[in-house]
Amino acid sequence: THLPTVRNIIYLIRLRRKGYVRLVNSEEYMFDCYVVSCETDEQWVFQTLSSTLEVKHSYRLCIPTRDFDIGASIADQIEEKMRESKKIIIVMSNDFAQDEWCQFQLEKAQERIRNQGEEAVVSIMLHDIDHKHMTSTIKNLLRKSSYATWVKGKIVSKLFWDIVVAAIEKPFGNPPIAV
């Protein structure tokens, strides 16, 4: 169980070495982050993620089940709210890997990465994903970018939140160039 903690420490060092500052153009966005998660992980999203990022750090999160307009097209709202969000937080788990709407949103997040670089997405591994549930899109995301792993415990939890905040604050690098 030390591996996720070691991986988190390495990720935080990498984030800090490259440096980060609060993005100047934050006002252009309605939300700081759009949250992609599955229904079974929503309790963690509301009780832990939202309470930490919205209450303690004053970020504006777009959480679909809370912030979408009732009756409007889900696909249209996903695209609209992602456009209105500076970053996309992806909360991954086995249930996430099996959820069609999560996969749709993950593909939209991949488009954002292609346009703005990997800093556009903040990936969180809430629960390890079984090999049998691993999709090619998730494998691609995990191979191309770092992610923070959720581990309970006071010290490792502080490390986790330091990583998430640093990843949210990190400015966009140069977007990938098509050759």
Side-chain angles (χ1 to χ4, degrees):
T1 60
H2 294 319
L3 188 59
T5 306
V6 171
R7 191 182 300 125
N8 277 350
I9 291 169
I10 292 167
Y11 184 23
L12 182 62
I13 290 168
R14 250 193 252 137
L15 280 167
R16 290 210 169 135
R17 188 179 325 131
K18 292 177 182 176
Y20 63 94
V21 291
R22 184 170 278 279
L23 294 173
V24 196
N25 61 352
S26 307
E27 304 80 43
E28 294 174 21
Y29 297 97
M30 184 178 291
F31 302 100
D32 292 302
C33 301
Y34 175 93
V35 180
V36 179
S37 68
C38 67
E39 197 176 324
T40 53
D41 297 332
E42 276 194 347
Q43 184 176 355
W44 183 84
V45 168
F46 283 110
Q47 291 179 353
T48 308
L49 184 78
S50 168
S51 66
T52 303
L53 294 181
E54 290 182 318
V55 178
K56 290 184 183 170
H57 295 281
S58 302
Y59 288 118
R60 298 163 308 206
L61 301 183
C62 177
I63 302 170
T65 53
R66 179 188 70 190
D67 298 313
F68 276 15
D69 299 324
I70 296 169
S73 158
I74 293 173
D76 289 347
Q77 286 199 74
I78 288 170
E79 295 204 27
E80 176 190 331
K81 301 294 185 191
M82 278 189 176
R83 256 193 322 274
E84 294 174 347
S85 302
K86 181 174 58 180
K87 301 265 182 141
I88 299 169
I89 294 176
I90 299 173
V91 180
M92 295 176 282
S93 66
N94 259 326
D95 292 326
F96 168 91
Q98 298 172 73
D99 185 289
E100 287 181 32
W101 280 114
C102 288
Q103 294 309 303
F104 174 77
Q105 293 172 89
L106 184 57
E107 287 170 20
K108 295 293 169 194
Q110 293 279 43
E111 284 177 27
R112 177 75 80 87
I113 290 171
R114 284 190 291 276
N115 294 328
Q116 293 181 306
E118 69 178 60
E119 293 86 6
V121 171
V122 178
S123 301
I124 294 172
M125 185 64 72
L126 182 59
H127 304 292
D128 284 336
I129 299 172
D130 295 338
H131 183 71
K132 64 181 178 184
H133 298 128
M134 190 67 73
T135 64
S136 58
T137 314
I138 295 172
K139 278 184 199 167
N140 197 22
L141 177 70
L142 297 177
R143 192 175 57 248
K144 286 184 175 175
S145 59
S146 299
Y147 58 91
T149 304
W150 172 248
V151 185
K152 263 189 177 170
K154 196 167 187 150
I155 293 166
V156 287
S157 181
K158 181 184 179 337
L159 171 66
F160 172 83
W161 292 116
D162 286 350
I163 290 168
V164 171
V165 168
I168 291 170
E169 293 294 323
K170 190 164 177 22
F172 298 113
N174 296 320
I177 298 166
V179 179

